Amino acid sequence: MRCILYAVFIVCLYKIDAAFADVASAEYVREIVNALNIQSDWNQTDSTQSDYIKNKPDIPSPDSVEYSANKVNEISSNSTDVQYPSAHAVYNALKSKADVNDIRFNTIPTSQPTGAPPTGQVFIWFN
C-alpha cells in the first residue's frame, strides 16, 4: 500500500507543472469566444463559412411555390374557415358589392317610385 501511495505522489509531483502549462489564459479564451460570436446568415450558401446555417429546412420562397390545397376559386356560403380565396375569386365577389360613394347610400327620392319594391325591400320617399 505504501508503495502505491509513493508512486502516486511521485507522478503527481512531476505532473503538477505540466498541468499549469495547459491552462488557457482569460485573454486567449476571450479571443476564441469573440471569434465564435458570429451572427448566422440564412442566405449564406458557402458551407465552409462560420455564419452558414446547417440543416436549414427547405422552405420555398413565396414567389416560387404556393401551397394551394385549401385554395378556392369562388367565394360562397359553402366556403370554410380553413379555405382561402384566389385573387380572382375576391375580385369577382367584390364586383357584386356597391361602392361606398354609391348614390343609393346617401339619398332618399322625393317622388314616389313606380312598381313593386324588390323582395325583402321597401320604398321610402318624401312627398
Side-chain angles (χ1 to χ4, degrees), residues 77-95:
S77 60
N78 296 330
S79 299
T80 67
D81 289 338
V82 297
Q83 294 173 323
Y84 69 97
S86 68
H88 190 70
V90 172
Y91 174 79
N92 286 339
L94 291 177
K95 277 194 322 188

Side-chain angles (χ1 to χ4, degrees), residues 3-50:
C3 190
I4 293 174
L5 286 176
Y6 182 71
V8 169
F9 174 75
I10 295 296
V11 168
C12 288
L13 185 65
Y14 286 106
K15 293 296 181 180
I16 287 176
D17 290 335
F20 285 122
D22 291 342
V23 174
S25 69
E27 182 59 32
Y28 176 74
V29 171
R30 221 177 341 258
E31 286 177 21
I32 297 296
V33 169
N34 288 339
L36 295 175
N37 193 13
I38 295 172
Q39 176 66 41
S40 299
D41 182 4
W42 186 266
N43 296 320
Q44 177 60 264
T45 56
D46 185 353
S47 62
T48 63
Q49 297 298 315
S50 57

Side-chain angles (χ1 to χ4, degrees), residues 42-101:
W42 186 266
N43 296 320
Q44 177 60 264
T45 56
D46 185 353
S47 62
T48 63
Q49 297 298 315
S50 57
D51 61 348
Y52 178 75
I53 300 173
K54 298 175 186 170
N55 300 323
K56 286 187 287 193
D58 186 24
I59 300 173
S61 71
D63 298 331
S64 63
V65 177
E66 176 187 11
Y67 177 74
S68 59
N70 59 346
K71 182 177 179 182
V72 294
N73 293 319
E74 184 178 308
I75 300 171
S76 70
S77 60
N78 296 330
S79 299
T80 67
D81 289 338
V82 297
Q83 294 173 323
Y84 69 97
S86 68
H88 190 70
V90 172
Y91 174 79
N92 286 339
L94 291 177
K95 277 194 322 188
S96 66
K97 302 297 178 193
D99 290 334
V100 174
N101 61 357

